[in-house]
PDB file of all heavy atoms in Angstrom:
ATOM      1  N   ASN A  64     -76.472  31.705   2.232  1.00 97.00           N
ATOM      2  CA  ASN A  64     -77.644  31.490   1.373  1.00 97.00           C
ATOM      3  C   ASN A  64     -77.926  30.039   1.101  1.00 97.00           C
ATOM      4  O   ASN A  64     -79.086  29.595   1.133  1.00 97.00           O
ATOM      5  CB  ASN A  64     -77.374  32.252   0.019  1.00 97.00           C
ATOM      6  CG  ASN A  64     -78.572  32.245  -0.851  1.00 97.00           C
ATOM      7  OD1 ASN A  64     -79.640  32.763  -0.459  1.00 97.00           O
ATOM      8  ND2 ASN A  64     -78.423  31.793  -2.111  1.00 97.00           N
ATOM      9  N   ALA A  65     -76.851  29.318   0.882  1.00 97.00           N
ATOM     10  CA  ALA A  65     -77.009  27.872   0.628  1.00 97.00           C
ATOM     11  C   ALA A  65     -77.519  27.160   1.892  1.00 97.00           C
ATOM     12  O   ALA A  65     -78.348  26.243   1.814  1.00 97.00           O
ATOM     13  CB  ALA A  65     -75.683  27.253   0.213  1.00 97.00           C
ATOM     14  N   LEU A  66     -77.112  27.671   2.995  1.00 97.00           N
ATOM     15  CA  LEU A  66     -77.622  27.067   4.334  1.00 97.00           C
ATOM     16  C   LEU A  66     -79.133  27.259   4.391  1.00 97.00           C
ATOM     17  O   LEU A  66     -79.905  26.342   4.733  1.00 97.00           O
ATOM     18  CB  LEU A  66     -76.967  27.747   5.507  1.00 97.00           C
ATOM     19  CG  LEU A  66     -75.687  27.137   6.000  1.00 97.00           C
ATOM     20  CD1 LEU A  66     -75.169  27.894   7.247  1.00 97.00           C
ATOM     21  CD2 LEU A  66     -75.869  25.619   6.365  1.00 97.00           C
ATOM     22  N   LYS A  67     -79.547  28.514   4.120  1.00 96.00           N
ATOM     23  CA  LYS A  67     -80.988  28.783   4.105  1.00 96.00           C
ATOM     24  C   LYS A  67     -81.750  27.867   3.158  1.00 96.00           C
ATOM     25  O   LYS A  67     -82.748  27.301   3.509  1.00 96.00           O
ATOM     26  CB  LYS A  67     -81.223  30.255   3.704  1.00 96.00           C
ATOM     27  CG  LYS A  67     -81.304  31.238   4.841  1.00 96.00           C
ATOM     28  CD  LYS A  67     -81.590  32.635   4.381  1.00 96.00           C
ATOM     29  CE  LYS A  67     -83.087  33.023   4.502  1.00 96.00           C
ATOM     30  NZ  LYS A  67     -83.456  33.347   5.854  1.00 96.00           N
ATOM     31  N   HIS A  68     -81.181  27.672   1.932  1.00 94.00           N
ATOM     32  CA  HIS A  68     -81.860  26.838   0.996  1.00 94.00           C
ATOM     33  C   HIS A  68     -81.849  25.399   1.394  1.00 94.00           C
ATOM     34  O   HIS A  68     -82.721  24.606   0.991  1.00 94.00           O
ATOM     35  CB  HIS A  68     -81.190  26.928  -0.391  1.00 94.00           C
ATOM     36  CG  HIS A  68     -81.623  28.045  -1.199  1.00 94.00           C
ATOM     37  ND1 HIS A  68     -81.307  29.403  -0.964  1.00 94.00           N
ATOM     38  CD2 HIS A  68     -82.518  28.064  -2.274  1.00 94.00           C
ATOM     39  CE1 HIS A  68     -81.908  30.122  -1.816  1.00 94.00           C
ATOM     40  NE2 HIS A  68     -82.659  29.407  -2.655  1.00 94.00           N
ATOM     41  N   SER A  69     -80.899  25.023   2.217  1.00 93.00           N
ATOM     42  CA  SER A  69     -80.827  23.607   2.609  1.00 93.00           C
ATOM     43  C   SER A  69     -81.725  23.301   3.845  1.00 93.00           C
ATOM     44  O   SER A  69     -81.785  22.197   4.340  1.00 93.00           O
ATOM     45  CB  SER A  69     -79.377  23.197   2.960  1.00 93.00           C
ATOM     46  OG  SER A  69     -79.044  23.787   4.246  1.00 93.00           O
ATOM     47  N   GLY A  70     -82.460  24.357   4.281  1.00 91.00           N
ATOM     48  CA  GLY A  70     -83.440  24.098   5.325  1.00 91.00           C
ATOM     49  C   GLY A  70     -83.005  24.505   6.718  1.00 91.00           C
ATOM     50  O   GLY A  70     -83.677  24.315   7.709  1.00 91.00           O
ATOM     51  N   VAL A  71     -81.801  25.114   6.807  1.00 92.00           N
ATOM     52  CA  VAL A  71     -81.349  25.554   8.156  1.00 92.00           C
ATOM     53  C   VAL A  71     -81.889  26.891   8.425  1.00 92.00           C
ATOM     54  O   VAL A  71     -82.019  27.758   7.558  1.00 92.00           O
ATOM     55  CB  VAL A  71     -79.783  25.668   8.116  1.00 92.00           C
ATOM     56  CG1 VAL A  71     -79.228  26.307   9.399  1.00 92.00           C
ATOM     57  CG2 VAL A  71     -79.165  24.304   7.949  1.00 92.00           C
ATOM     58  N   GLU A  83     -74.284  21.564  10.667  1.00 92.00           N
ATOM     59  CA  GLU A  83     -73.796  20.453   9.808  1.00 92.00           C
ATOM     60  C   GLU A  83     -74.181  20.767   8.389  1.00 92.00           C
ATOM     61  O   GLU A  83     -75.033  21.567   8.117  1.00 92.00           O
ATOM     62  CB  GLU A  83     -74.523  19.159  10.285  1.00 92.00           C
ATOM     63  CG  GLU A  83     -73.990  18.767  11.695  1.00 92.00           C
ATOM     64  CD  GLU A  83     -74.417  17.399  12.109  1.00 92.00           C
ATOM     65  OE1 GLU A  83     -75.037  16.682  11.297  1.00 92.00           O
ATOM     66  OE2 GLU A  83     -74.144  17.004  13.298  1.00 92.00           O
ATOM     67  N   ILE A  84     -73.474  20.148   7.464  1.00 91.00           N
ATOM     68  CA  ILE A  84     -73.787  20.361   6.066  1.00 91.00           C
ATOM     69  C   ILE A  84     -74.591  19.198   5.495  1.00 91.00           C
ATOM     70  O   ILE A  84     -74.458  18.077   6.010  1.00 91.00           O
ATOM     71  CB  ILE A  84     -72.535  20.590   5.281  1.00 91.00           C
ATOM     72  CG1 ILE A  84     -71.682  19.335   5.197  1.00 91.00           C
ATOM     73  CG2 ILE A  84     -71.709  21.752   5.843  1.00 91.00           C
ATOM     74  CD1 ILE A  84     -70.508  19.461   4.284  1.00 91.00           C
ATOM     75  N   ASN A  85     -75.281  19.380   4.441  1.00 89.00           N
ATOM     76  CA  ASN A  85     -75.960  18.341   3.754  1.00 89.00           C
ATOM     77  C   ASN A  85     -75.770  18.522   2.266  1.00 89.00           C
ATOM     78  O   ASN A  85     -75.223  19.490   1.757  1.00 89.00           O
ATOM     79  CB  ASN A  85     -77.480  18.283   4.168  1.00 89.00           C
ATOM     80  CG  ASN A  85     -78.164  19.573   3.888  1.00 89.00           C
ATOM     81  OD1 ASN A  85     -77.830  20.297   2.990  1.00 89.00           O
ATOM     82  ND2 ASN A  85     -79.143  19.869   4.723  1.00 89.00           N
ATOM     83  N   ASP A  86     -76.357  17.584   1.510  1.00 90.00           N
ATOM     84  CA  ASP A  86     -76.167  17.523   0.101  1.00 90.00           C
ATOM     85  C   ASP A  86     -76.780  18.791  -0.560  1.00 90.00           C
ATOM     86  O   ASP A  86     -76.220  19.350  -1.522  1.00 90.00           O
ATOM     87  CB  ASP A  86     -76.771  16.281  -0.565  1.00 90.00           C
ATOM     88  CG  ASP A  86     -75.891  15.070  -0.271  1.00 90.00           C
ATOM     89  OD1 ASP A  86     -74.721  15.263   0.080  1.00 90.00           O
ATOM     90  OD2 ASP A  86     -76.383  13.925  -0.435  1.00 90.00           O
ATOM     91  N   LYS A  87     -77.926  19.164  -0.079  1.00 93.00           N
ATOM     92  CA  LYS A  87     -78.601  20.371  -0.636  1.00 93.00           C
ATOM     93  C   LYS A  87     -77.743  21.607  -0.540  1.00 93.00           C
ATOM     94  O   LYS A  87     -77.630  22.450  -1.396  1.00 93.00           O
ATOM     95  CB  LYS A  87     -79.895  20.622   0.158  1.00 93.00           C
ATOM     96  CG  LYS A  87     -81.131  20.105  -0.596  1.00 93.00           C
ATOM     97  CD  LYS A  87     -82.396  20.512   0.118  1.00 93.00           C
ATOM     98  CE  LYS A  87     -83.534  20.816  -0.819  1.00 93.00           C
ATOM     99  NZ  LYS A  87     -84.838  20.821  -0.074  1.00 93.00           N
ATOM    100  N   PHE A  88     -77.093  21.732   0.698  1.00 95.00           N
ATOM    101  CA  PHE A  88     -76.222  22.857   0.912  1.00 95.00           C
ATOM    102  C   PHE A  88     -75.063  22.760  -0.126  1.00 95.00           C
ATOM    103  O   PHE A  88     -74.729  23.793  -0.831  1.00 95.00           O
ATOM    104  CB  PHE A  88     -75.651  22.742   2.301  1.00 95.00           C
ATOM    105  CG  PHE A  88     -74.462  23.625   2.586  1.00 95.00           C
ATOM    106  CD1 PHE A  88     -74.584  24.976   2.775  1.00 95.00           C
ATOM    107  CD2 PHE A  88     -73.140  23.097   2.574  1.00 95.00           C
ATOM    108  CE1 PHE A  88     -73.491  25.806   3.080  1.00 95.00           C
ATOM    109  CE2 PHE A  88     -72.080  23.940   2.801  1.00 95.00           C
ATOM    110  CZ  PHE A  88     -72.246  25.264   3.036  1.00 95.00           C
ATOM    111  N   LEU A  89     -74.474  21.628  -0.292  1.00 94.00           N
ATOM    112  CA  LEU A  89     -73.330  21.537  -1.190  1.00 94.00           C
ATOM    113  C   LEU A  89     -73.748  21.868  -2.622  1.00 94.00           C
ATOM    114  O   LEU A  89     -73.037  22.577  -3.384  1.00 94.00           O
ATOM    115  CB  LEU A  89     -72.746  20.076  -1.204  1.00 94.00           C
ATOM    116  CG  LEU A  89     -71.671  19.891  -0.072  1.00 94.00           C
ATOM    117  CD1 LEU A  89     -71.136  18.450  -0.214  1.00 94.00           C
ATOM    118  CD2 LEU A  89     -70.574  20.876  -0.121  1.00 94.00           C
ATOM    119  N   LYS A  91     -76.194  23.674  -3.681  1.00 96.00           N
ATOM    120  CA  LYS A  91     -76.417  25.151  -3.847  1.00 96.00           C
ATOM    121  C   LYS A  91     -75.153  25.923  -3.945  1.00 96.00           C
ATOM    122  O   LYS A  91     -75.022  26.836  -4.722  1.00 96.00           O
ATOM    123  CB  LYS A  91     -77.257  25.612  -2.597  1.00 96.00           C
ATOM    124  CG  LYS A  91     -77.802  27.047  -2.826  1.00 96.00           C
ATOM    125  CD  LYS A  91     -78.920  27.138  -3.824  1.00 96.00           C
ATOM    126  CE  LYS A  91     -79.320  28.578  -4.133  1.00 96.00           C
ATOM    127  NZ  LYS A  91     -80.265  28.647  -5.269  1.00 96.00           N
TER     128      LYS A  91
END
Side-chain angles (χ1 to χ4, degrees):
Chain A
N64 187 54
L66 271 182
K67 267 181 98 78
H68 274 76
S69 75
V71 171
E83 294 190 4
I84 66 172
N85 58 29
D86 284 346
K87 259 187 147 162
F88 165 80
L89 275 183
K91 189 72 186 173

